[in-house]
Amino acid sequence: YVKGCLEARTAHLGTQSQSDSGPATRILVVGTSQTVGEGASQPGYSAVAVLSQMFDGGTSNEQCIEVFNGGVQGATSAELKDPLLDQWVPLINPDWVVINLSCNDYFVDPFIVNLHSIVAELLAQNIPVVLVQEAMSPEYTNDVHKRHAAMAALGSELGVPVLNAHAYMLDRVDSGFTWWDVVHPTDHGHRKLGEFLFEELSSLMAKEQNNGV
């Protein structure tokens, strides 16, 4: 199942990468079914779609930003690593890679080994990386805090920002009907998550631009 989803995602990204949008900053968001947009009633209501729409509405034509959805249902960091590094990055040539993971990676040690390998390779190619501690509903109790703590430590080690989407969404659980299950947001939840990503990425990109990198 995951292999088929990976192949479909690669084909979709290949098609999207050929779009003639002119000069653009390209952001590739990598993750699992939450990143794909499961739980949203329409593809355009997913968190990644909301992120893309907010960039479209908040930038001028001279600052075009393209957002690519690299979500794959059911995938782990181990399954995403090779397609991301060997196929998606060469296809898209992203300016930023955002990695939204933790739900499907149940075991901390291999998860962090895989993330370290992915991030180190991207940094070696001078591609800025942002790690996102995947948001989950309050009902999720499978040691997610251990994975999120390990992600924070890895970010400190490698000098990459780590966004705590999980804490952000927990703080907004009473803002409306937010979750269908432990990891798939509703339309409302996806919008909140997309707004969070937009706010954080906009700030990081502005800092990077101001630093002249």
Side-chain angles (χ1 to χ4, degrees), residues 16-68:
Q16 187 183 355
S17 69
Q18 301 303 314
S19 62
D20 186 13
S21 57
T25 296
R26 290 184 160 192
I27 302 172
L28 172 59
V29 185
V30 180
T32 62
S33 55
Q34 183 182 103
T35 300
V36 172
E38 289 194 8
S41 62
Q42 299 179 32
Y45 293 165
S46 73
V48 175
V50 170
L51 173 66
S52 179
Q53 292 156 15
M54 294 186 76
F55 272 126
D56 284 344
T59 59
S60 67
N61 290 334
E62 291 78 21
Q63 297 174 307
C64 179
I65 296 175
E66 283 186 285
V67 179
F68 293 76

Side-chain angles (χ1 to χ4, degrees), residues 9-151:
R9 179 57 63 191
T10 300
H12 178 78
L13 290 172
T15 299
Q16 187 183 355
S17 69
Q18 301 303 314
S19 62
D20 186 13
S21 57
T25 296
R26 290 184 160 192
I27 302 172
L28 172 59
V29 185
V30 180
T32 62
S33 55
Q34 183 182 103
T35 300
V36 172
E38 289 194 8
S41 62
Q42 299 179 32
Y45 293 165
S46 73
V48 175
V50 170
L51 173 66
S52 179
Q53 292 156 15
M54 294 186 76
F55 272 126
D56 284 344
T59 59
S60 67
N61 290 334
E62 291 78 21
Q63 297 174 307
C64 179
I65 296 175
E66 283 186 285
V67 179
F68 293 76
N69 191 325
V72 176
Q73 296 94 327
T76 63
S77 57
E79 291 165 316
L80 288 164
K81 185 174 92 168
D82 288 345
L84 168 60
L85 296 176
D86 298 341
Q87 296 176 284
W88 301 352
V89 168
L91 270 174
I92 296 167
N93 192 24
D95 298 283
W96 291 77
V97 174
V98 179
I99 301 173
N100 178 37
L101 289 176
S102 65
C103 180
N104 291 347
D105 283 272
Y106 299 117
F107 303 105
V108 174
D109 289 346
F111 175 45
I112 295 304
V113 168
N114 291 328
L115 269 189
H116 189 289
S117 177
I118 292 168
V119 174
E121 177 58 31
L122 292 170
L123 294 178
Q125 297 183 43
N126 295 316
I127 301 172
V129 180
V130 179
L131 296 177
V132 180
Q133 295 163 318
E134 192 170 14
M136 296 172 222
S137 79
E139 290 80 16
Y140 192 92
T141 58
N142 192 13
D143 290 336
V144 66
H145 62 284
K146 294 181 180 178
R147 281 168 271 166
H148 286 172
M151 291 179 77

